[in-house]
Amino acid sequence: EDKVVQSPLSLVVHEGDTVTLNCSYEVTNFRSLLWYKQEKKAPTFLFMLTSSGIEKKSGRLSSILDKKELFSILNITATQTGDSAIYLCAVEEYNFNKFYFGSGTKLNVKP
Amino acid sequence: DAGITQSPRHKVTETGTPVTLRCHQTENHRYMYWYRQDPGHGLRLIHYSYGVKDTDKGEVSDGYSVSRSKTEDFLLTLESATSSQTSVYFCAISERTGSTDTQYFGPGTRLTVL
């Protein structure tokens, strides 16, 4: 069964729009949740979240975790064409440092 | 980029042939991972290693084996490649920051099995 579920699977917006990407998880022994951005190459790290309710922010991107409801959101404000990518969510489990990935959200930002 | 390289970067092979992919890291990380990425499936863990000669299976390990004889190298072997193993393969390491870990990925290997 899927341990990490992302939604939507794909999204098309126009420059300047704000988007919210969702990640829900069901992982025993939760340690952290990570967001990655993947363009036409390897995933690159965006955020790590460990505590509920504390927003992580980097420029136009922000993310927050809810450990009670087992989900996280990634917000992108004032989107640009350079934000077009697949956004991956992963959850780290304590045992043997294992990471479980969602299938990703493909974001397409049109000019 | 956490000093991770993968070789080869691209490979085309035929069904039934053995294939070995290499992951090399320069920063003495203990944990190393092999993932495959296919459309609609995100990243799926094949095998991982938690030290020299210490490895374990991930969720899609059938048809793959690994070896780690040195800290810096983690090899993934397809004993007899099949077309279903056509994929992009990523190696990763995890880096400890405080009590949590972040994964960093190598550049990937695109494997095509004809």
Side-chain angles (χ1 to χ4, degrees):
Chain A
E1 71 286 357
D2 290 335
K3 292 178 180 283
V4 181
V5 178
Q6 292 185 245
S7 63
L9 292 181
S10 65
L11 193 55
V12 180
V13 300
H14 289 92
E15 275 193 316
D17 289 348
T18 293
V19 297
T20 298
L21 310 183
N22 304 291
C23 176
S24 63
Y25 63 91
E26 190 174 327
V27 172
T28 317
N29 299 318
F30 173 92
R31 175 179 267 167
S32 65
L33 185 143
L34 300 94
W35 285 97
Y36 291 85
K37 178 182 182 181
Q38 186 177 24
E39 297 169 272
K40 292 187 184 298
K41 49 190 178 182
T44 54
F45 173 74
L46 293 173
F47 297 113
M48 179 198 296
L49 302 150
T50 57
S51 301
S52 282
I54 298 175
E55 184 182 56
K56 291 280 184 89
K57 197 170 172 65
S58 176
R60 297 176 293 102
L61 277 66
S62 63
S63 184
I64 198 161
L65 173 68
D66 186 329
K67 289 169 73 174
K68 182 180 176 185
E69 299 297 330
L70 308 183
F71 77 92
S72 174
I73 59 171
L74 175 68
N75 281 320
I76 309 175
T77 59
T79 52
Q80 302 170 358
T81 55
D83 295 326
S84 295
I86 296 172
Y87 290 84
L88 295 166
C89 171
V91 173
E92 182 192 9
E93 195 174 45
Y94 270 102
N95 295 339
F96 293 109
N97 287 37
K98 289 181 78 170
F99 294 78
Y100 298 94
F101 281 82
S103 55
T105 293
K106 185 173 183 179
L107 175 64
N108 184 7
V109 182
K110 294 191 170 184
Chain B
D1 63 357
I4 308 167
T5 57
Q6 293 184 230
S7 60
R9 296 291 313 280
H10 298 87
K11 185 168 182 69
V12 180
T13 191
E14 294 189 348
T15 298
T17 60
V19 176
T20 295
L21 309 182
R22 181 182 183 236
C23 178
H24 180 78
Q25 53 122 341
T26 58
E27 299 183 7
N28 211 35
H29 296 289
R30 179 183 173 193
Y31 288 88
M32 298 183 76
Y33 308 78
W34 276 108
Y35 291 90
R36 61 177 288 174
Q37 187 174 36
D38 306 288
H41 288 281
L43 286 156
R44 292 183 291 175
L45 181 65
I46 305 171
H47 283 279
Y48 63 101
S49 170
Y50 46 97
V52 173
K53 292 188 171 26
D54 292 323
T55 64
D56 206 349
K57 296 179 180 180
E59 60 184 307
V60 290
S61 60
D62 287 348
Y64 302 94
S65 62
V66 290
S67 66
R68 193 165 178 205
S69 58
K70 299 185 289 185
T71 299
E72 58 265 36
D73 289 323
F74 192 31
L75 303 180
L76 176 72
T77 298
L78 291 65
E79 300 289 347
S80 177
T82 67
S83 58
S84 65
Q85 294 176 311
T86 292
S87 188
V88 179
Y89 291 85
F90 288 103
C91 174
I93 59 89
S94 66
E95 186 173 86
R96 174 62 57 94
T97 305
S99 61
T100 56
D101 302 276
T102 303
Q103 277 200 328
Y104 295 96
F105 290 85
T109 294
R110 184 174 294 276
L111 176 67
T112 302
V113 183
L114 301 176

